[in-house]
Amino acid sequence: MPQGPPIAAAANAAADLQPHNSPASPAAAASDTDTAAADPAPSRKSPADRVALPSAWAAFDTMQLCYTVIPQARHYYRYGTFRDCARARRDFVFAMSLKGLSRAEAERRVVEREVEHYVKKVTERPSRDVWELRDAPPVGFPPTVDAARAALAAATAAAAAAAGAGGDSRG
C-alpha cells in the first residue's frame, strides 16, 4: 500500500482526537517529565511510521462494484468473458480477517502480504519474457516523407477508383 501524505493526514487527524493531558501548573509539567524519563516505557511507532491497514468498507465497495451488472456487461462486451472478481473478494476477506487482531499483528500481516505480492509479481511475470530486445529499428521505420506521400497517393487513387466503379445509377 502506498504510504505518503494521506497516512500523515490521517495520523494528524487521529492525534487531534486524542485527549490532551496538559498539566495545570509548570511544577506538574516538570514532575510529568521526570516520571516519563524515569519510566523506560517501550517506544511506540510514530503515526507516520505505521502501516496503513486496508479498509474493510473500501474493499467491500470494490468487490461490490466488480460484481455489479454494468461493469460485468462492459467487460463481457470488450473481452468476451465475465470479469474475474476473485482478487477483490480476497482483498475483502483479508481486510475482514484483520479486524480481530492487534494493531501490531495486523500490520505484520499486511507487510507480509505486500512482500508476497511483490515477489510474486517480480518472479512470475517478468517483462523480459514478453519483449524481444532489438539491435536496430525495424526496416522502414520511421517512414520517410516520400514513402508517406506515396502511400497517401495510392490510398487516394484506390478510393477514387472504388467510387468511380460503383457508379451513380441516378439518371
Side-chain angles (χ1 to χ4, degrees), residues 102-144:
S102 67
R103 175 81 187 190
E105 178 65 17
E107 287 178 354
R108 186 185 66 77
R109 288 194 183 179
V110 167
V111 169
E112 279 180 5
R113 187 171 193 242
E114 288 177 358
V115 167
E116 287 174 7
H117 175 70
Y118 178 76
V119 167
K120 183 177 179 182
K121 179 180 177 183
V122 170
T123 59
E124 289 185 8
R125 296 183 350 164
S127 61
R128 291 176 285 214
D129 293 342
V130 176
W131 300 102
E132 184 177 315
L133 186 61
R134 294 182 181 154
D135 295 330
V139 176
F141 184 84
T144 62

Side-chain angles (χ1 to χ4, degrees), residues 9-82:
N12 292 337
D16 290 341
L17 297 176
Q18 297 296 326
H20 296 287
N21 296 328
S22 58
S25 68
S31 68
D32 283 349
T33 57
D34 293 340
T35 57
D39 183 23
S43 63
R44 290 186 170 187
K45 289 182 180 178
S46 70
D49 293 337
R50 288 188 176 173
V51 175
L53 297 180
S55 165
W57 280 112
F60 177 76
D61 287 344
T62 303
M63 182 181 70
Q64 184 183 19
L65 181 64
C66 182
Y67 281 112
T68 56
V69 174
I70 299 300
Q72 286 286 354
R74 184 179 302 125
H75 195 275
Y76 189 81
Y77 176 78
R78 288 180 180 167
Y79 305 108
T81 61
F82 287 108

